[in-house]
Amino acid sequence: AQSVTQPDARVTVSEGASLQLRCKYSYFGTPYLFWYVQYPRQGLQLLLKYYPGDPVVQGVNGFEAEFSKSNSSFHLRKASVHWSDWAVYFCAVSSQGTGSKLSFGKGAKLTVSP
Amino acid sequence: AQTIHQWPVAEIKAVGSPLSLGCTIKGKSSPNLYWYWQATGGTLQQLFYSITVGQVESVVQLNLSASRPKDDQFILSTEKLLLSHSGFYLCAWSLGLGGGAETLYFGSGTRLTVL
């Protein structure tokens, strides 16, 4: 069965510092991977997605992620964090076919300190 | 552009009372539609999906039901709420192209508190 593990439930980063949020996936075959962001009391917004191809994926607001098949990972990165990045970040893996089932990790709550 | 609207924004309901949550998608014909549930502070769990009017598939049994009465509308309901139904309910849509994995686009959610 497909699954995602986000090992860091809470992350605190100083504004302007770099960020990495880790994601490990379990999937038989070639995975389709996503990062979503959830701002306080809001729905989810897509940051970026990986479909088989270039392992480094660029997303919105300066985010990028790198797929590694050997490490079963899809880590999210940002070079310089802004206070507006304060949110919960979810990694997800999707099955193919009818009614694509998106399986989410438990999320990583990012706090940005001044 | 496609828009997704969920209603109500929030609900406070008593245990044992009925519930109906709704979701409407505009600007896209025949989308795939999904209901997700998020326990407070938790991850998201897919509840139902629908690829066409009148057809709904259940993914997780939580004493809830879903219906798709129109192409652009998805309803989540129950006749008797439980305390465990509290949480955040998210509706989502995808293009419904079939084949490869699809990107899901989420609504702003409904926060349900059951007392």
Side-chain angles (χ1 to χ4, degrees):
Chain A
Q2 62 193 55
S3 67
V4 161
T5 301
Q6 293 181 249
D8 307 308
R10 295 177 182 271
V11 176
T12 299
V13 175
S14 299
E15 190 170 16
S18 63
L19 169 70
Q20 176 172 278
L21 298 178
R22 294 182 291 164
C23 173
K24 299 276 282 185
Y25 69 87
S26 174
Y27 187 83
F28 182 75
T30 301
Y32 295 79
L33 297 158
F34 302 79
W35 276 99
Y36 283 86
V37 61
Q38 185 177 32
Y39 298 105
R41 307 188 78 79
Q42 293 186 28
L44 273 70
Q45 298 175 30
L46 180 68
L47 273 180
L48 48 81
K49 59 187 177 185
Y50 169 78
Y51 284 14
D54 190 336
V56 179
V57 181
Q58 302 297 323
V60 298
N61 298 331
F63 285 94
E64 68 172 28
E66 184 165 5
F67 169 74
S68 170
K69 187 171 183 178
S70 60
N71 294 324
S72 298
S73 67
F74 189 55
H75 300 331
L76 181 71
R77 301 189 296 242
K78 186 170 184 178
S80 177
V81 168
H82 188 264
W83 67 266
S84 60
D85 295 324
W86 191 320
V88 181
Y89 293 79
F90 290 94
C91 182
V93 62
S94 179
S95 63
Q96 300 181 49
T98 302
S100 293
K101 184 173 184 294
L102 203 58
S103 298
F104 288 87
K106 293 186 176 180
K109 184 172 185 178
L110 173 65
T111 299
V112 181
S113 61
Chain B
Q2 299 86 5
T3 60
I4 178 169
H5 174 61
Q6 281 190 247
W7 74 92
V9 173
E11 279 267 46
I12 300 176
K13 304 278 281 186
V15 170
S17 62
L19 174 76
S20 181
L21 305 180
C23 169
T24 299
I25 290 83
K26 297 297 183 187
K28 175 71 181 79
S29 62
S30 303
N32 285 353
L33 298 176
Y34 308 81
W35 278 110
Y36 277 79
W37 172 70
Q38 183 182 30
T40 302
T43 191
L44 294 99
Q45 192 169 23
Q46 190 181 52
L47 300 177
F48 300 93
Y49 71 89
S50 170
I51 61 172
T52 192
V53 174
Q55 287 188 18
V56 176
E57 299 296 328
S58 174
V59 178
V60 173
Q61 288 293 334
L62 285 180
N63 293 306
L64 296 167
S65 60
S67 64
R68 187 170 177 176
K70 303 181 195 176
D71 186 53
D72 64 353
Q73 195 174 76
F74 207 19
I75 306 295
L76 183 71
S77 62
T78 182
E79 293 189 0
K80 272 190 172 183
L81 277 166
L82 307 173
L83 284 173
S84 58
H85 286 138
S86 291
F88 197 45
Y89 289 83
L90 288 156
C91 180
W93 69 272
S94 67
L95 287 174
L97 297 175
E102 299 190 324
T103 299
L104 268 62
Y105 300 94
F106 288 84
S108 54
T110 295
R111 187 161 301 280
L112 174 66
T113 303
V114 182
L115 302 174

